[in-house]
Amino acid sequence: MSRTRGGGRHLDEDDIRVRARGGSRPRTRTRPKHENAAEGLVTAVDRGRYRCLVNEVPVVAMKARELGRGSIVVGDRVDVVGDLSGRPDTLARVVRVRQRESVLRRTADDTDPVERVIVANADQLAIVCALADPAPQPRFVDRCLVAAYDAGLAPLLCLTKADLAEPDDLVRVYEPLGLPYEVLSPEGDLTRLRSRLANRTSVFVGSSGVGKSTLVNRLIPGTDRAVGHVNAVTGRGRHTSTSAVALPFEGGWLIDTPGVRSFGLAHIEPEDIVAGFADIDEVTRDCPPGCTHQPEEEDCAVAAALSAGRLDADRVGSLRRLLASREGTLDEEP
């Protein structure tokens, strides 16, 4: 920089570049190491603020600028700096997201290319399905099972509202798979379910109105997760929980998520969808190369096994719908 005879400043080329960027200092690619950052667990996300548990203290944090646009979700293990006191009106910063051990994803539908991460670092997916009010949704359960296997999560089927309907038909479909399940009523004993959830990180997923948040409230009294009712006309539940939240539970965590009406699988390859149907996947090994397992396919081993009564018709129908929807040849609500 130089000065004019009148004492005013004369901007050289470096100054002009700095001013054009709107800053006062040249940018650098060097990022702070934050060696003294504390590890935390993200327990809730709300409009750009992250509730983290740091050294057993609830801390509210924002995302550091250097993290860019990468998402931070409930269940993430993060490094946090700044004010970690947890006092009201204090704000820390998330400066690193640690490597995830598992990621549960979904898409808006089966052709949507945008993945939505639901939670990170869970090890069990509790699929909550009502036996009535609303009616059971086995196709939704199948989608969740595929997503669980893809994410490496152990599935657990929770059948709620057993006071309104018998579970036999739904149990018949999934029992041959060895899928663990619990039949639950509003006042029933939760001892077995508690033992399945203890010392694990379980994420609860289900359609609106199936009793997911009600179940969480029973498991952890005082949680007060919002609950709703099913519309008598549409048979659908009303969205009540609006965001995911992780709650400590008997040596582990329960993660309650908002009710969903679709669970797209666009991020999962067709062969991996088939792998999610373990009973059918074994049969497909005898199919010709490139077989889509649809009714019109010739020499399809799935069709032959179905005709011979060796496969459940509802399960085969669910797989065929998933594959067709994944390829954009079927317009259905899961």
Side-chain angles (χ1 to χ4, degrees):
M1 184 184 72
S2 60
R3 293 185 179 274
T4 64
R5 178 177 295 179
R9 295 178 61 188
H10 174 76
L11 299 179
D12 58 24
E13 292 182 359
D14 289 338
D15 287 327
I16 293 173
R17 283 196 294 269
V18 169
R19 296 254 178 125
R21 289 196 300 259
S24 59
R25 296 181 180 176
R27 286 185 179 177
T28 175
R29 292 185 179 179
T30 303
R31 294 289 184 258
K33 295 182 179 180
H34 299 298
E35 295 176 348
N36 295 325
E39 181 179 356
L41 174 72
V42 178
T43 59
V45 179
D46 182 18
R47 291 171 292 186
R49 294 292 183 262
Y50 305 92
R51 193 189 313 159
C52 306
L53 192 66
V54 182
N55 296 324
E56 304 301 322
V57 176
V59 172
V60 177
M62 61 181 291
K63 182 167 64 174
R65 182 177 300 177
E66 60 260 32
L67 291 183
R69 296 185 177 181
S71 65
I72 301 175
V73 299
V74 171
D76 267 326
R77 299 184 186 95
V78 295
D79 289 339
V80 187
V81 301
D83 192 328
L84 307 181
S85 67
R87 292 191 299 266
D89 301 322
T90 58
L91 194 62
R93 281 186 302 138
V94 175
V95 295
R96 272 188 298 269
V97 179
R98 301 199 173 194
Q99 184 173 356
R100 293 165 172 169
E101 296 178 2
S102 68
V103 179
L104 180 64
R105 304 178 177 92
R106 74 177 181 95
T107 55
D109 56 50
D110 289 331
T111 59
D112 181 8
V114 180
E115 295 182 9
R116 292 160 173 79
V117 178
I118 302 175
V119 296
N121 299 315
D123 56 47
Q124 181 168 245
L125 177 60
I127 306 166
V128 184
C129 177
L131 294 169
D133 191 34
Q137 297 175 299
R139 293 211 296 269
F140 182 87
V141 173
D142 290 340
R143 288 173 174 271
C144 292
L145 285 175
V146 170
Y149 296 139
D150 178 71
L153 306 185
L156 170 63
L157 185 58
C158 297
L159 303 177
T160 60
K161 304 187 182 182
D163 57 316
L164 302 180
E166 294 296 326
D168 298 357
D169 289 343
L170 208 57
V171 168
R172 175 187 58 80
V173 173
Y174 295 104
E175 197 168 26
L177 306 180
L179 177 65
Y181 67 92
E182 291 292 333
V183 179
L184 307 164
S185 58
E187 304 299 328
D189 184 23
L190 297 179
T191 301
R192 286 207 327 169
L193 178 59
R194 286 181 176 277
S195 66
R196 293 187 186 275
L197 299 172
N199 302 306
R200 307 195 69 164
T201 299
S202 303
V203 51
F204 280 60
V205 171
S207 301
S208 299
V210 297
K212 184 166 44 60
S213 294
T214 298
L215 183 57
V216 171
N217 288 340
R218 288 190 62 203
L219 289 165
I220 311 176
T223 301
D224 296 328
R225 291 290 281 171
V227 298
H229 302 282
V230 176
N231 188 301
V233 176
T234 65
R236 289 178 170 178
R238 180 171 58 89
H239 291 287
T240 48
S241 300
T242 57
S243 60
V245 61
L247 304 162
F249 178 81
E250 298 186 9
W253 294 87
L254 300 188
I255 302 177
D256 186 23
T257 64
V260 295
R261 289 177 180 165
S262 65
F263 205 108
L265 301 175
H267 59 294
I268 301 179
E269 294 299 322
E271 58 269 24
D272 293 326
I273 290 178
V274 176
F277 290 72
D279 49 335
I280 304 176
D281 186 37
E282 184 176 353
V283 174
T284 63
R285 298 170 188 173
D286 296 326
C287 287
C291 182
T292 63
H293 316 303
Q294 298 298 342
E296 63 273 12
E297 287 282 356
E298 295 184 3
D299 301 322
C300 176
V302 172
L306 181 61
S307 298
R310 292 190 290 115
L311 289 177
D312 182 89
D314 291 337
R315 293 274 293 164
V316 173
S318 183
L319 173 62
R320 286 173 170 172
R321 285 186 176 88
L322 283 180
L323 292 173
S325 183
R326 172 67 175 74
E327 296 303 314
T329 58
L330 176 71
D331 184 17
E332 69 149 0
E333 287 189 5

